[in-house]
Amino acid sequence: MKLNSLIGASLLIIGAIAPITPTAAQQSAPVPGLPQQNDRRSPVAQINPSKPIQIRVANQSSVDIQVVLVEPTSRERSVKPQQSVTFGALHTSYLPPPIDLTIYTNVKDTNLRADIAVVNNELIVTVTSKPGTYGLTRSLEVNSGGAIYIY
């Protein structure tokens, strides 16, 4: 009995002398502008990030689309079929990378497709549509190195 009491008291003393310090696993943040190792996407185009950038979205679909810059932020714009909308200008740097553009439609069961072309640092996004099981939104990213990705 005395032995159990002695062992219990010893453990309490050891616990008081050597407190338990929780250790958390360290997480590393991804390096900006560099793809992660598990990222297998390839850029669809490239622009020069040190020159002014202009983005033109041309709606070649049969439905109205909504376009919004998430980064840098802008107000949402509605684009009717066969019309276009422009963000930025080629003579002034209004759009510094990284740039995140979202294109979607409120028309149910419509999938959007975005084709990309770059002409003189103008990013031209041509949007078409087709019926689908559910609606697909398109996102476009221009990273700080000027690489362009579509999701």
Side-chain angles (χ1 to χ4, degrees):
M1 178 91 153
K2 286 187 178 184
L3 184 62
N4 286 341
S5 299
L6 182 62
I7 292 173
S10 298
L11 290 175
L12 287 175
I13 291 172
I14 291 172
I17 294 173
I20 298 173
T21 54
T23 320
Q26 293 183 0
Q27 293 183 353
S28 61
V31 177
L34 295 177
Q36 294 184 17
Q37 290 179 340
N38 61 352
D39 190 355
R40 300 188 194 283
R41 294 171 296 142
S42 297
V44 295
Q46 181 80 28
I47 59 171
N48 184 342
S50 61
K51 290 185 175 182
I53 299 169
Q54 180 172 299
I55 300 174
R56 182 175 11 137
V57 180
N59 186 359
Q60 297 296 314
S61 75
S62 58
V63 298
D64 289 358
I65 61 172
Q66 279 65 43
V67 182
V68 64
L69 276 173
V70 178
E71 181 69 34
T73 57
S74 75
R75 66 179 178 81
E76 182 178 271
R77 298 184 189 180
S78 182
V79 186
K80 298 209 175 289
Q82 310 311 311
Q83 299 206 350
S84 65
V85 64
T86 302
F87 296 92
L90 290 174
H91 60 282
T92 307
S93 291
Y94 288 125
L95 294 177
I99 299 169
D100 187 6
L101 178 78
T102 301
I103 304 166
Y104 68 95
T105 183
N106 290 327
V107 177
K108 189 176 175 138
D109 300 333
T110 301
N111 292 344
L112 298 179
R113 177 183 166 96
D115 292 312
I116 303 297
V118 176
V119 178
N120 297 327
N121 237 39
E122 178 182 33
L123 177 58
I124 303 166
V125 183
T126 304
V127 179
T128 56
S129 66
K130 67 178 181 177
T133 309
Y134 51 89
L136 282 181
T137 297
R138 291 293 173 208
S139 291
L140 181 129
E141 173 195 357
V142 179
N143 71 14
S144 57
I148 302 167
Y149 298 91
I150 295 180
Y151 306 101

